[in-house]
Each structure stands twice: as structure tokens, then as C-alpha cells.
Amino acid sequence: MSKITISAVVAFLLILAVVPFSRAALNAHYYDQTCPQAESIIFQTIRNASIYDPKVPARLLRMFFHDCFIRGCDASLLLDSTPGNKAEKDGPPNVSVRSFYVIDDAKTKLEKACPRTVSCSDVLAIAARDVVAMSRGPWWHVLKGRKDGRVSKANETINLPSPFSNTTTLIQSFAKRGLNVKDLVTLSGGHTLGFSHCSSFSARLQNSTDTSINSEFAMSLRKKCPLHNKDRNAGEFLDSTSAKFDNDYYKRITMGKGVFGSDQALYGDDRTKSIVDSYAKDEKRFFTEFAASMVKLGNVGVIEDGEIRVKCSIVN
Ligand code: HEM
Ligand SMILES: *[C@@H]1O[C@H](CO)[C@@H](O)[C@H](O)[C@H]1NC(C)=O
Ligand SMILES: *[C@@H]1O[C@H](CO)[C@@H](O)[C@H](O)[C@H]1NC(C)=O
Ligand SMILES: *[C@@H]1O[C@H](CO)[C@@H](O)[C@H](O)[C@H]1NC(C)=O
Ligand SMILES: *[C@@H]1O[C@H](CO)[C@@H](O)[C@H](O)[C@H]1NC(C)=O
Ligand SMILES: *[C@@H]1O[C@H](CO)[C@@H](O)[C@H](O)[C@H]1NC(C)=O
């Protein structure tokens, strides 16, 4: 071997050692030969479901994030609990993971069209892109070829970042998955869609020393989430245009109107503040970066030695 080849091999091995997760090579054309209609089947199922239930887009976007952060993007979140095992979907923050039936419906149709070909983790990655595009956000090519995992544990959901986290903790949580500070700020923009229950932010409202929150906004949240709240479904939308994917989330953070402590914290830290400002000013830039960061999120912890699950809620 020449010197150059050897140093190239060494460099390659070094890269392998540094990359936090073994990455199966994903590909935008993965199903071109084996299931060319996969993406249109998924899109139609999701569009139909979203017409019947407008909460579906936000739920599927959050589902993808949640899945990728625990054990990587391996559809572990889609598995049901079994008599011997409590699964992720029954773990602590489960009030907010819903609408699994939409992914299951898409998968049933895919099994008819191209049996045992399209993984549940790829269905979820495509669905997350489609709900963003459908909500008038950006569109991107989804890389595919993920395999589905066989393990799902409720207690591992404690490793999700919390809405009470400070920026340092959020940065660390993302870094563990190979995502940088910009990815953190950019992907937090997913909160342009959807809703939160009071329990995820009401502790902030009782904190009189927290000056990061706009006082009128705090008052309106206190009305929705009174101290002895009996309504488990009460809560607030995460930005003022919760069905439209736009940069309103960032504009609101600059005004002290972020719903979660973790959202607002991004504007109180020098490492993240200028990125928030740039997205609040420039929606196009946010869209471009969001697409890029979603592709990175979709690479987290992708596995090679999994299976193509036949039914997304149970292992083969
Ligand atoms: C930065 C760390 C993050 C934290 C701490 C966080 C936390 C939360 C919490 C607590 C909720 C509300 C749960 C509830 O009470 O119902 C929520 C909702 C949501 N999150 Fe995040 N999240 C984070 C990042 C992300 C990312 C990266 C995405 C997607 C790209 C995302 C998308 C969503 C969406 C769409 C909803 C609304 C769900 C619905 O309306 O049903 N989040 N998030
Ligand atoms: C559309 O969604 C509704 C509600 O989930 C469902 O009952 C119906 O079967 C769906 N239709 C198609 C063609 O998927
Ligand atoms: C959510 O978690 C609770 C407590 O762990 C559990 O009792 C419940 O069955 C889970 N599932 C749903 C859909 O609420
Ligand atoms: C979850 O529980 C298993 C045992 O059932 C344990 O081995 C594992 O360390 C726990 N994980 C976390 C994150 O607590
Ligand atoms: C951030 O939160 C962590 C965990 O709660 C804590 O240990 C740390 O001191 C906090 N950092 C700052 C700068 O507040
Ligand atoms: C209240 O807010 C202050 C300032 O943001 C923060 O340092 C403190 O940890 C908060 N206290 C609680 C109990 O959340």
C-alpha cells in the first residue's frame, strides 16, 4: 500500500471512532426499484388523516423527534408494551405522543403494495417531512434505508430533553446524538406546530424571579393553567400560528413569549441567542436550515442489523 492509501485508511478509521453512532448508509433512492410508490402511499395516508384530525401533523413531527432521541431512529417508539415489557410509548411524557394509528395505516397499505420492504422508521421519517411540507414549511429529500429495532423501554424516555432544561443541558443532550448548537436552535423550531399541556410549563408561571417571560403572556398562561388545575387537557399552543409552519416561534421567543423554559432559555444564552434572532428575521434561512437539520436528526443512531417490521406496533 502506498503512504497515501495508508493514511487514508487511518483517517477513515479515526472518523469511524469519532462518529457517535454507527451509521448505516442511507439513500434518497433506496426504494426506487423495490417500492417506487412508497412515498406517495405515505403522503396520501397522512394528508387524509390530517384532514380528519388537524392535530396529526404536530403529533407526527414530535413522534419522529422522540423516536430518534431514544435508541436512534429505529421506530422503537412505535412498539406496544408486552406482558413482560413496558415500552417507550407508555413512558412518562406519553400524554403527548398520540396518533400512532396514522403510521400503522400507512404501513398496512405499504405491506399490500410491497410486502416486507419499507421499514417503520423510514415511514416515520417520511411522515415527518410530509407534515412539515403540508403545513407550508420546507420540503426535503428524505434519506431512507433504516432498519427497525426490536427493543423499546419505558424508562429510557427519561433521556429526552426536558422543557425545564437550561441551554447547557440542551446542548449536551443534542451533542450526545451528534447534533450541534445550530441543530438545537433549528430543530426547536418544530415548536412552530402544536400544543402543550399545562404540566410542561406551569412551574415557570409560579416563579416570580423568572424575568425572561413576558408578563402579559405569563398572565394569560396562568389563566389557562390555574394553580390547582383540574383539567388535564388544558394547555397552550406553542406559537400563535400553530397549524402553519413558519418562523413565528422565533419571533415570539424574542418577545419573551416562548411557552417552555427550554424554548425561552435559547434567547438567554450567548451561544444560541443570535441564531434565534437570525431566524426571527429571516424565515427562508430557517426553512433551509430546518431541512438540513432534519436530515441530520434522521441519521441519529440508524441501525443496520434490525428488521423490516411487518406491523409497526409489534416486532416480527
Ligand atoms: C429542544 C428540546 C425539546 C424539548 C425540551 C421539547 C419538549 C416538548 C414538550 C414538553 C412538548 C409538549 C408536551 C405536552 O405537554 O403535550 C413538546 C411538544 C412538541 N414538540 Fe418538542 N421538545 C423539544 C424538541 C423538539 C423537536 C426537535 C421537535 C421536532 C423537530 C419537536 C416537536 C414538537 C411538536 C411538533 C410538539 C407539539 C406536539 C403536539 O401538538 O401534539 N420538539 N415538546
Ligand atoms: C381517511 O381517514 C379517515 C379517518 O382516519 C379514515 O376513516 C379513512 O379510512 C381514511 N381514508 C383513506 C382512503 O385512507
Ligand atoms: C401513559 O403512561 C401511564 C403511566 O406510565 C400509563 O398508565 C398509561 O397507560 C400510558 N399510556 C397512555 C396512552 O396514556
Ligand atoms: C432501564 O431499566 C433497565 C432494566 O430493566 C436497566 O438495565 C436500564 O439501565 C434502565 N435505563 C435507564 C435509562 O434508567
Ligand atoms: C443547568 O442545569 C443543570 C441540570 O439541572 C445544572 O446542573 C447546571 O448547573 C445548570 N447550568 C446553568 C448554567 O444554570
Ligand atoms: C426561577 O427563575 C430563576 C431565574 O430564571 C432561576 O434561576 C430559578 O432556578 C427558577 N426557580 C425555579 C424553582 O424554577
Side-chain angles (χ1 to χ4, degrees):
M1 269 200 274
S2 75
K3 237 184 183 164
I4 291 175
T5 326
I6 293 172
S7 55
V9 169
V10 170
F12 180 68
L13 290 176
L14 274 178
I15 290 169
L16 282 186
V18 170
V19 170
F21 294 99
S22 72
R23 252 175 220 173
L26 301 180
N27 182 331
H29 300 286
Y30 195 81
Y31 297 117
D32 281 6
Q33 307 301 322
T34 54
C35 195
Q37 65 277 53
E39 297 209 18
S40 80
I41 290 175
I42 295 166
F43 175 73
Q44 279 159 25
T45 309
I46 283 161
R47 186 179 52 184
N48 174 57
S50 304
I51 293 168
Y52 280 84
D53 180 0
K55 292 177 180 154
V56 162
R59 286 171 167 179
L60 295 184
L61 180 57
R62 175 155 163 82
M63 199 184 284
F64 179 62
F65 157 65
H66 187 322
D67 181 46
C68 291
F69 260 55
I70 305 298
R71 288 187 174 266
C73 311
D74 70 340
S76 53
L77 177 57
L78 306 183
L79 288 172
D80 282 345
S81 294
T82 56
N85 182 60
K86 197 170 166 194
E88 275 173 40
K89 64 166 67 154
D90 293 323
N94 70 4
V95 278
S96 55
V97 282
R98 293 283 150 85
S99 303
F100 292 103
Y101 72 91
V102 182
I103 302 296
D104 291 336
D105 283 357
K107 180 62 173 167
T108 304
K109 290 182 189 143
L110 287 167
E111 283 305 302
K112 279 192 195 125
C114 0
R116 293 180 176 256
T117 305
V118 184
S119 66
C120 294
S121 39
D122 280 348
V123 176
L124 191 48
I126 294 163
R129 186 274 315 276
D130 286 348
V131 296
V132 169
M134 217 182 282
S135 309
R136 292 187 273 165
W139 188 94
W140 58 93
H141 287 285
V142 176
L143 305 183
K144 297 160 291 267
R146 295 170 191 78
K147 294 279 162 53
D148 300 324
R150 297 179 51 86
V151 176
S152 178
K153 296 205 170 296
N155 70 344
E156 292 179 350
T157 59
I158 59 161
N159 294 323
L160 280 174
S162 138
F164 312 108
S165 295
N166 59 37
T167 304
T168 300
T169 305
L170 294 172
I171 289 174
Q172 285 166 353
S173 171
F174 276 62
K176 271 187 202 153
R177 281 117 180 142
L179 300 168
N180 62 26
V181 173
K182 189 160 89 176
D183 296 317
L184 161 64
V185 179
T186 309
L187 291 170
S188 293
H191 289 165
T192 179
L193 297 181
F195 174 86
S196 169
H197 297 83
C198 293
S199 55
S200 301
F201 59 83
S202 54
R204 301 178 74 203
L205 310 175
Q206 311 307 327
N207 185 348
S208 52
T209 57
D210 185 348
T211 52
S212 69
I213 191 166
N214 172 289
S215 55
E216 265 171 56
F217 182 57
M219 207 130 73
S220 81
L221 290 181
R222 269 185 224 109
K223 256 185 219 147
K224 289 188 171 162
C225 306
L227 203 46
H228 299 289
N229 184 12
K230 293 239 163 58
D231 181 1
R232 285 199 73 211
N233 295 320
E236 179 58 294
F237 292 102
L238 295 174
D239 82 358
S240 36
T241 54
S242 71
K244 185 168 180 278
F245 194 100
D246 58 16
N247 67 342
D248 187 54
Y249 164 83
Y250 297 102
K251 290 182 184 159
R252 290 176 63 83
I253 287 180
T254 66
M255 300 184 288
K257 296 182 178 177
V259 173
F260 301 137
S262 57
D263 291 330
Q264 197 57 53
L266 299 176
Y267 207 60
D269 190 295
D270 287 340
R271 292 167 291 182
T272 48
K273 183 170 191 277
S274 61
I275 310 175
V276 173
D277 275 326
S278 75
Y279 293 158
K281 283 197 205 95
D282 187 348
E283 185 173 75
K284 246 197 183 143
R285 182 166 179 182
F286 165 50
F287 279 17
T288 308
E289 297 291 347
F290 188 80
S293 289
M294 284 292 279
V295 172
K296 278 180 82 176
L297 176 61
N299 272 323
V300 172
V302 166
I303 53 172
E304 267 168 299
D305 57 347
E307 60 187 24
I308 307 284
R309 226 177 268 156
V310 175
K311 202 167 175 245
C312 292
S313 56
I314 47 175
V315 297
N316 292 345

